[in-house]
């Protein structure tokens, strides 16, 4: 018997620490990282190939590319902040709720990038909005990765924690193939002008499908056994 069940029995309610099925845990932890890497590769591709002309048309191509890639790096500044914030609230309100919030934050900002007006429409404001969306996206991503790892490992039997801990990693190649595969198909069927006008937006809008699936999966899951155990231990009369 692993340590979670034995601790649950100590409090006389081992059924309260029943785990989600391995299928639910795999999907719940994997879908977020799949979206994370889908967004990562989609933004990277767009920042290198399309954003210099869409958001930085007033400068030389070389400077436009540098500025575009700088917006890509904004998320790396925000990610540690997201990890800290969501880690803090994950210990207070639970892994499930923080994972849902980080998923929605990440997905909403990605979709908003897909509908942002270009520099030709809003001027500098469009660049500011792009940077803001990218920063918010980074905060969501920071909370997503650590939360997904917790959900996987805290639902794992003691003898399978390494196996369960690998589930979030499965989302990385999935996001890679989905994002780059979609760009490949779009660039195969659309002209360069069409890609510049609207084609680059499609992957960002398409991420809403993954977000919807991830939201549904995570709404079905329950809190991790270790978090429920910590809550029960805190509320136990012996701790008062």
């Amino acid at each position: 018997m692993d340590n979670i069940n034995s601790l649950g029995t100590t409090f006389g309610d081992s059924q309260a620490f029943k785990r989600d099925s391995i299928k639910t845990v795999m999907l719940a932890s994997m879908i977020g990282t799949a979206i994370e890497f889908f967004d990562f590769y989609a933004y990277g591709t767009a920042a290198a190939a399309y954003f210099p002309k869409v958001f930085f048309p007033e400068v030389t191509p070389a400077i436009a590319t540098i500025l575009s890639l700088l917006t890509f790096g904004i998320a790396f500044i925000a990610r540690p902040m997201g990890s800290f914030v969501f880690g803090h609230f994950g210990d207070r309100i639970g892994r499930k709720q923080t994972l849902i919030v980080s998923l929605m934050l990440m997905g909403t900002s990605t979709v908003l990038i897909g509908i942002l007006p270009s520099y030709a429409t809003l001027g500098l404001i469009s660049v500011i909005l792009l940077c803001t969306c990218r920063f918010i996206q980074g905060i969501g991503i920071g909370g997503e990765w650590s939360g997904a790892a917790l959900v996987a490992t805290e639902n794992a039997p003691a003898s399978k924690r390494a196996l369960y801990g690998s589930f979030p990693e499965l989302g990385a190649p999935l996001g890679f193939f989905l994002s780059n595969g979609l760009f490949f198909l779009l660039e195969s069927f659309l002209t360069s002008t069409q890609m510049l006008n609207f084609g680059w937006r499609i992957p960002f809008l398409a991420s809403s499908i993954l977000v919807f699936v991830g939201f549904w999966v995570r709404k079905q899951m329950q809190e991790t056994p270790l978090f429920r155990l910590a809550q029960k231990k805190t509320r136990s009369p012996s701790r008062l």
Side-chain angles (χ1 to χ4, degrees):
M1 180 177 292
D2 60 66
N3 60 341
I4 294 176
N5 284 336
S6 61
L7 286 171
T9 304
T10 301
F11 290 100
D13 191 10
S14 61
Q15 289 300 315
F17 306 107
K18 183 180 178 182
R19 301 182 185 88
D20 285 312
S21 68
I22 186 172
K23 179 181 177 182
T24 300
V25 175
M26 178 183 290
L27 287 175
S29 58
M30 181 181 69
I31 189 67
T33 51
I35 297 171
E36 173 186 347
F37 278 89
F38 180 94
D39 295 345
F40 178 88
Y41 290 113
Y43 195 100
T45 301
Y50 304 107
F51 286 179
K53 295 179 180 178
V54 175
F55 294 103
F56 304 99
E58 297 293 314
V59 296
T60 64
I63 295 177
T65 300
I66 292 172
L67 292 174
S68 180
L69 293 177
L70 283 175
T71 68
F72 178 74
I74 289 175
F76 293 95
I77 299 174
R79 286 179 75 162
M81 296 175 58
S83 296
F84 179 81
V85 171
F86 282 98
H88 170 74
F89 285 104
D91 285 336
R92 290 182 173 270
I93 65 175
R95 316 325 189 188
K96 176 180 176 179
Q97 296 303 320
T98 52
L99 269 183
I100 290 176
V101 173
S102 66
L103 176 70
M104 298 307 297
L105 197 64
M106 183 172 60
T108 301
S109 58
T110 301
V111 173
L112 287 176
I113 291 173
I115 62 175
L116 280 180
S118 66
Y119 185 91
T121 302
L122 285 183
L124 186 60
I125 295 177
S126 66
V127 179
I128 295 174
L129 291 175
L130 176 66
C131 293
T132 302
C133 288
R134 183 61 177 164
F135 187 83
I136 295 173
Q137 188 185 59
I139 291 178
I141 289 173
E144 171 62 40
W145 184 267
S146 55
L150 280 176
V151 165
T153 55
E154 289 187 0
N155 272 293
S159 59
K160 295 184 178 179
R161 293 215 175 110
L163 174 63
Y164 276 56
S166 68
F167 294 160
E169 302 287 347
L170 298 177
L174 180 60
F176 171 84
F177 286 115
L178 287 176
S179 176
N180 288 284
L182 183 53
F183 267 105
F184 175 78
L185 289 175
L186 290 171
E187 291 173 351
S188 297
F189 291 99
L190 298 178
T191 65
S192 298
T193 302
Q194 289 174 325
M195 284 297 300
L196 195 60
N197 289 337
F198 66 88
W200 67 267
R201 299 178 183 272
I202 296 176
F204 292 92
L205 299 176
S207 70
S208 61
I209 299 174
L210 290 175
V211 173
F212 176 80
V213 174
F215 178 79
W216 181 83
V217 170
R218 288 180 173 176
K219 286 293 288 184
Q220 309 306 309
M221 63 180 286
Q222 56 187 339
E223 271 299 346
T224 66
L226 285 179
F227 182 78
R228 281 177 280 141
L229 175 59
Q231 284 184 313
K232 191 172 182 69
K233 187 175 181 181
T234 300
R235 295 168 184 170
S236 175
S238 62
R239 302 287 294 179
L240 299 178

PDB file of all heavy atoms in Angstrom, residues 2 71 87 117 130 218:
ATOM      1  N   ASP A   2       0.598   2.202  -0.890  1.00  0.00           N
ATOM      2  CA  ASP A   2       1.459   3.370  -0.978  1.00  0.00           C
ATOM      3  C   ASP A   2       1.143   4.344   0.147  1.00  0.00           C
ATOM      4  O   ASP A   2       0.170   4.220   0.869  1.00  0.00           O
ATOM      5  CB  ASP A   2       1.328   4.057  -2.347  1.00  0.00           C
ATOM      6  CG  ASP A   2      -0.094   4.521  -2.627  1.00  0.00           C
ATOM      7  OD1 ASP A   2      -0.570   5.414  -1.918  1.00  0.00           O
ATOM      8  OD2 ASP A   2      -0.700   3.975  -3.556  1.00  0.00           O
ATOM      9  N   THR A  71       9.509  40.462 -28.851  1.00  0.00           N
ATOM     10  CA  THR A  71       8.176  40.200 -28.293  1.00  0.00           C
ATOM     11  C   THR A  71       8.024  38.724 -27.946  1.00  0.00           C
ATOM     12  O   THR A  71       7.312  38.371 -27.004  1.00  0.00           O
ATOM     13  CB  THR A  71       7.063  40.614 -29.276  1.00  0.00           C
ATOM     14  OG1 THR A  71       7.062  39.752 -30.428  1.00  0.00           O
ATOM     15  CG2 THR A  71       7.237  42.051 -29.735  1.00  0.00           C
ATOM     16  N   GLY A  87       1.784  28.814  -8.212  1.00  0.00           N
ATOM     17  CA  GLY A  87       2.255  27.904  -7.171  1.00  0.00           C
ATOM     18  C   GLY A  87       1.698  28.296  -5.812  1.00  0.00           C
ATOM     19  O   GLY A  87       1.293  27.438  -5.016  1.00  0.00           O
ATOM     20  N   PRO A 117      -5.575  43.712 -34.365  1.00  0.00           N
ATOM     21  CA  PRO A 117      -5.406  44.540 -35.571  1.00  0.00           C
ATOM     22  C   PRO A 117      -3.918  44.740 -35.863  1.00  0.00           C
ATOM     23  O   PRO A 117      -3.082  44.707 -34.956  1.00  0.00           O
ATOM     24  CB  PRO A 117      -6.073  45.870 -35.191  1.00  0.00           C
ATOM     25  CG  PRO A 117      -6.957  45.530 -34.030  1.00  0.00           C
ATOM     26  CD  PRO A 117      -6.275  44.421 -33.291  1.00  0.00           C
ATOM     27  N   LEU A 130       0.007  43.485 -28.525  1.00  0.00           N
ATOM     28  CA  LEU A 130       0.705  42.227 -28.791  1.00  0.00           C
ATOM     29  C   LEU A 130       1.613  41.862 -27.618  1.00  0.00           C
ATOM     30  O   LEU A 130       1.613  40.712 -27.151  1.00  0.00           O
ATOM     31  CB  LEU A 130       1.526  42.347 -30.076  1.00  0.00           C
ATOM     32  CG  LEU A 130       2.390  41.135 -30.445  1.00  0.00           C
ATOM     33  CD1 LEU A 130       1.509  39.932 -30.780  1.00  0.00           C
ATOM     34  CD2 LEU A 130       3.309  41.471 -31.625  1.00  0.00           C
ATOM     35  N   ARG A 218     -10.374  18.974 -17.631  1.00  0.00           N
ATOM     36  CA  ARG A 218      -9.997  19.386 -16.288  1.00  0.00           C
ATOM     37  C   ARG A 218     -11.190  19.628 -15.379  1.00  0.00           C
ATOM     38  O   ARG A 218     -11.073  19.531 -14.168  1.00  0.00           O
ATOM     39  CB  ARG A 218      -9.089  20.619 -16.369  1.00  0.00           C
ATOM     40  CG  ARG A 218      -7.709  20.240 -16.883  1.00  0.00           C
ATOM     41  CD  ARG A 218      -6.764  21.389 -16.999  1.00  0.00           C
ATOM     42  NE  ARG A 218      -5.423  20.898 -17.328  1.00  0.00           N
ATOM     43  CZ  ARG A 218      -4.382  21.672 -17.567  1.00  0.00           C
ATOM     44  NH1 ARG A 218      -4.515  22.989 -17.509  1.00  0.00           N
ATOM     45  NH2 ARG A 218      -3.211  21.148 -17.855  1.00  0.00           N
TER      46      ARG A 218
END
